[in-house]
Amino acid sequence: MGSPVFYLRRLRTLIQTEVLVLPSRITVLVFSLGLLLLPLFTRDPYVLRILILTSIFAILAASWDLLSGFTGQINFGHALFFGVGSYSTALLNIHAHLPPWAGIPLGALGAVLAGLVIGIPCLRLRGTYLALTTLAFPIILLGVVFAIPGITGGELGISGLSRLSGSRVGDYYITVILMLGLGGVMWKITDSKTGIIFHAIREDELAVRASGLNTVRYKLLAFCLSSFFAGIAGGLYAHLMRTAGPSTLEVGTSFQVIIWAVFGGMVSIYGPIAGVFILFPLLEFLRILPKIRMLVFAFIVLLTLLYMPEGLIPWIRDKIEKECPRCKVRNAATRKTCRVCAASLEKA
Amino acid sequence: MKRRNLLQRILCFSVIVVFMSIPAWGADTIKIGVLGPMAFTQGEGHWNGATLAADEINAQGGVTVNGAKRQIELIKVDTNEFLSVPDATNAVELAISRFNADFLTGGFRTEAVTVMQDIAMDNKKIFLGCGAAHPELCERVATDYNRYKYWFRVTPINSKFLVKVDFILLGTVAKIMATQLNIPKIKVAIVAEQAAWNEPIVSVAQKKLPEMGMEVVGVWRPSPVATDVGAELSAVQRAGAHIIFTSFSSSVGIPFAKQLGELKIPAAPVGINVEAQKQSFYDATGGKGDYTLTINTYARVKITDATIPFFDSYLKRFGEAPNYTAGTYEALHILKEAIERANSLDSDKVVMELEKTDRPGTAGRLVFTKDHDVTWGPGYVTGLGTQWQDGKNQCVWPMGWEGVTYEGVVPYKLPPWIVEHYKK
Amino acid sequence: MLQDIIINGLVNGSIYALLAIGFSLIFGVARIVNIAHTAFYMLAAYFIYIGFHYLGAPPVLAIVLAVPATVLTALVCFRLFIDPIQEHEAAVLIATIALAMVIQEALLVVFGGHYLGVPPLISGYVELLGVRVTKQHVLALGFVLVALALVWVLLMRTRIGLAIRVTAQDREIANLMGMDVRRVAMVTMAVSVMLAAVAGAIVVPLTVLDPHMWMHPLIMMLAIVVLGGVGSVKGSLLGSFILGFAEALVVFLIPMGAFLKGSVALSIMILVLLIRPEGLFGVAFEEER
């Protein structure tokens, strides 16, 4: 017991029985390994830069899903957390000379504070009211940013931050590993008991309260967790760009997050991540059509939604996997019988 | 099966498109990345100015380096910086790493330019800024010369000097009003968009205007993208202002001029209104923008021998007058000269030569300060004051300032409704 | 100064009201948060621009042509992109955002990011209580009253109005009673977009035309609708004037903070919601199952 061989063996069994049996999990494994090994094949600064930004926005989109997808508290102002995260990280770096590894988590705590400040009043609101109210917060903060240019730099932002790491490859590994790690953590949260309660709040808040659970506390927890991860993304972004500016708080940023997440598929964590990994590079690819680039982008989003209103990833998942009618375990679409309970998967 | 075929075809097609979109660059061209928001007036200015210069240089055979003539090749880099800062940085990275740009020019939105500047410096690429006026960009050269020495600002003059021109224009108009309309003490309302570049302007104005014998009746700070300033204008009128000291770099300049003209507010607008520098201003305001006075960079007056030929060929080719982002024209020419003097494309060597630039440019004699900024003053780049008169943007300043009068300057005109209002 | 605040508040409010009422209607009936609402407002202004500058039509004719053209475009877009995914709330939300983006980008491709101007219906100004107001703004004020009257007549005195109100109250029951809910939604959409288009025709001549001009009024409009109570026409009207007056107050009382007028208006909305989470005239939440 406790020997590395034992754990390696357990890992192998885990991979064999839990990962390799499902196409979606294989995809995640291949995707993660591919990302980690990529710098062995190319060190093109442009490609790495795109992937770094993609990873940062993937964290952001997933954090939106954690709040809005799972608890159903649709947040139209996610840019607030991103912006607060990047501004507080920048201030900590410039004034307290905190290095990125300390500044980013502390900056994210700043975002959590923002999450609490807007979470508490928003607890009274629901549905459309909540969505439209949250939209207002980053805009109000933007007013504040312009009102105190001595601290925030106004439209210029705070510039001259220290680098994330010394090299592009270093930046790449930091963001990609953080993205995979935090993505995993978020997925684990939603898979835990807390996550099930989040689900339940979205489906029927009254029933959750009737079961003796304090939904207020859980909703606040969702706000805090989501703002923390979004704040990390903001801090990473600030250190990568070496500046924190008002563009992080713009309405466009909030809308962008929603587009990524819903396009990828809400209530899944991996959906929004995949959404960013498809849409962000797509926008870069579309530089081949310089004039109509954004137009084509918007059209692609619109048409995809028309055929896959639940999002791209759930649509694909339902094509390559099916759920066992008896024990609700997922199976590869090619299987005839369930891998756990051996029930027939053929449609009756 | 059919579906897979389609998929393969799409894949094949996209691969071909990607390859075709990377043209086979000639080995001996000098590649210059022109950075700008290409869907907008500013980016068009960047691109038009640069193409004009590149065509001129190429028509003369190109740039001579080591005895060989090399053609200039422009790379159009759409930074989309108004809408997305990450987009802007990706575009610059693409230009440097993929299209192998040797030099960069352009840039507009300060927040984006600081980031683009950093990427250029990381790659030791010379970046000739044409658009962002914030002093910070050049202060970086002063604080960390070895890193930021590859940055130069070609246009506009930085906001500190803009302030100086501002006050000279204000003084000029105040004098005209005082004498023509018999107003003993001129009252000024300051209307400046809320932006960091305006902070020094507003605070200096509040202090300096009383010293100049004028009274400040109030300060209004609308948002740079406000679409309705009717309330501000009624407040200005209520305060009894004779002159409105404006400071606008964004879209707010248009509704401001439009509503001022529509309401015939009896106060003359003087100061910065970047939108009023553009040819399209008159149409955008439906003609109500007449009498707007703004600081400008280009007008059809003889600043140096280069100005009018540049102005005319720009107008002829693009159908509009150049606005200040077309300073990329200047940038390419000084770059050509510096490369030829250095006889090399090596960034460090070219920087040393760029620092020695002394050229009778299109906007005035261009000499860089030690912070790589544009030198301002009589005999150097002065900036202009232009006023819309009957649908034409006429140069009204400098006229007899420090001995400077450019050929073609016309006198300032007071709006007739103001004359009418105060004559009674 | 008091009269300045009153007049400017009324003008601001009436402009917002034209946008907010239409948005409120379509949300009430079809439960669509139509982010593209102000994009249609922008589109109308561009149609006027095309009519005036390219077709050489006089301003009145350009406006008369632009309004139905906008409504038609909106209905086509609605039928193609929104209607098929009505059941998926999140998808509808993104679809309207994407639709607004498509309109914005299409205009950007055609017209570039230039600031353009459209002609006013009437030019010049009048003095009300000693305050100068453009005739165009007075027109806006007058038109709000007309539009309100028309909407009221439509809702209260016609069969289709009855259908709209019934659908707004309970979509499912309306459907069960044999009503064509989709048709009702289409009609409401048409009315809603028509109001937006008229707002565009009246407001835009006084400001600038550019492909991103839909963003600012969108935010104010959303704030007003939430403040007044989502789906309530009465609430939207009152909300418009509250925020319109708030903006005027900011400009006159703290001129140095005139840029904060948007932020202050939004903060007022949040404060009101803290006291009345359902907005001023919204239906209080039942604990729905």
Side-chain angles (χ1 to χ4, degrees), chain A residues 41-60:
Chain A
F41 304 103
T42 174
R43 300 212 159 189
D44 185 317
Y46 172 65
V47 170
L48 291 188
R49 180 178 194 90
I50 301 300
L51 286 172
I52 290 170
L53 279 170
T54 310
S55 304
I56 292 174
F57 290 130
I59 299 174
L60 186 64

Side-chain angles (χ1 to χ4, degrees), chain C:
Chain C
M1 186 139 95
L2 187 65
Q3 61 270 45
D4 291 274
I5 295 174
I6 293 173
I7 297 290
N8 278 293
L10 279 175
V11 166
N12 289 345
S14 56
I15 292 166
Y16 288 140
L18 278 177
L19 284 170
I21 292 170
F23 179 84
S24 209
L25 265 182
I26 189 70
F27 180 82
V29 172
R31 294 280 177 274
I32 297 174
V33 179
N34 186 13
I35 300 290
H37 190 72
T38 49
F40 291 121
Y41 148 90
M42 167 169 81
L43 194 63
Y46 269 96
F47 278 141
I48 296 173
Y49 181 82
I50 295 173
F52 183 72
H53 278 267
Y54 292 99
L55 309 179
V60 184
L61 186 65
I63 291 170
V64 170
L65 290 176
V67 173
T70 313
V71 173
L72 203 68
T73 318
L75 289 182
V76 170
C77 292
F78 179 71
R79 199 55 186 258
L80 284 180
F81 300 117
I82 312 294
D83 202 31
I85 50 173
Q86 272 254 356
E87 301 306 310
H88 307 268
E89 214 178 305
V92 169
L93 204 61
I94 310 309
T96 61
I97 296 178
L99 191 59
M101 271 174 69
V102 167
I103 294 174
Q104 168 193 315
E105 290 304 322
L107 292 175
L108 197 60
V109 169
V110 179
F111 296 98
H114 307 279
Y115 296 116
L116 306 171
V118 290
L121 210 52
I122 37 173
S123 68
Y125 65 93
V126 288
E127 290 211 0
L128 298 176
L129 301 172
V131 183
R132 289 186 184 184
V133 188
T134 59
K135 288 184 180 160
Q136 192 80 10
H137 270 142
V138 180
L139 193 68
L141 201 57
F143 197 85
V144 172
L145 299 177
V146 176
L148 277 177
L150 286 178
V151 168
W152 188 82
V153 169
L154 176 82
L155 286 181
M156 297 301 174
R157 290 281 179 271
T158 61
R159 271 182 72 80
I160 185 77
L162 185 67
I164 290 175
R165 280 185 292 146
V166 168
T167 317
Q169 266 192 357
D170 198 321
R171 205 180 152 81
E172 266 172 50
I173 300 289
N175 207 359
L176 287 175
M177 297 307 274
M179 280 171 45
D180 189 345
V181 174
R182 279 178 59 191
R183 224 189 96 229
V184 172
M186 289 292 267
V187 171
T188 318
M189 188 76 183
V191 174
S192 147
V193 171
M194 201 185 76
L195 285 172
V198 170
I202 291 180
V203 179
V204 178
L206 292 168
T207 149
V208 288
L209 199 54
D210 82 292
H212 302 99
M213 59 180 274
W214 59 284
M215 224 35 145
H216 176 75
L218 171 76
I219 290 156
M220 292 309 291
M221 181 191 75
L222 293 178
I224 286 164
V225 170
V226 173
L227 174 66
V230 177
S232 157
V233 172
K234 196 169 34 164
S236 299
L237 187 69
L238 191 64
S240 305
F241 285 104
I242 290 178
L243 293 199
F245 273 105
E247 288 200 351
L249 274 172
V250 172
V251 172
F252 282 94
L253 297 184
I254 38 167
M256 282 292 270
F259 66 98
L260 286 172
K261 63 183 181 184
S263 298
V264 170
L266 293 177
S267 307
I268 290 177
M269 168 200 84
I270 289 168
L271 283 179
V272 171
L273 285 183
L274 285 182
I275 301 160
R276 266 186 79 84
E278 67 278 11
L280 291 173
F281 288 97
V283 184
F285 294 118
E286 307 138 47
E287 289 294 354
E288 48 195 11
R289 302 246 26 197

Side-chain angles (χ1 to χ4, degrees), chain A residues 75-88:
Chain A
N75 183 357
F76 258 33
H78 211 58
L80 179 79
F81 305 146
F82 188 65
V84 170
S86 56
Y87 267 106
S88 35

Side-chain angles (χ1 to χ4, degrees), chain B residues 39-41 44 83 194 219-223 227-228 231-232 234-235 237-238 251 254-255 258-259 262-264 275 284, chain C residues 4 8 112-115 117 123-125 130-134 137 205-208 212 251-252 255-256 258-259 261:
Chain B
F40 296 83
T41 315
E44 279 174 8
L83 303 183
Q194 179 64 30
V219 181
W220 286 265
R221 308 292 306 268
S223 145
T227 52
D228 187 345
E232 281 87 342
S234 344
Q237 194 194 352
R238 180 74 47 192
S251 61
I254 295 177
K258 206 170 189 173
Q259 294 179 339
E262 190 83 53
L263 292 170
K264 297 207 174 11
E275 284 305 320
Chain C
D4 291 274
N8 278 293
H114 307 279
Y115 296 116
S123 68
Y125 65 93
V131 183
R132 289 186 184 184
V133 188
T134 59
H137 270 142
L206 292 168
T207 149
V208 288
H212 302 99
V251 172
F252 282 94
M256 282 292 270
F259 66 98
K261 63 183 181 184

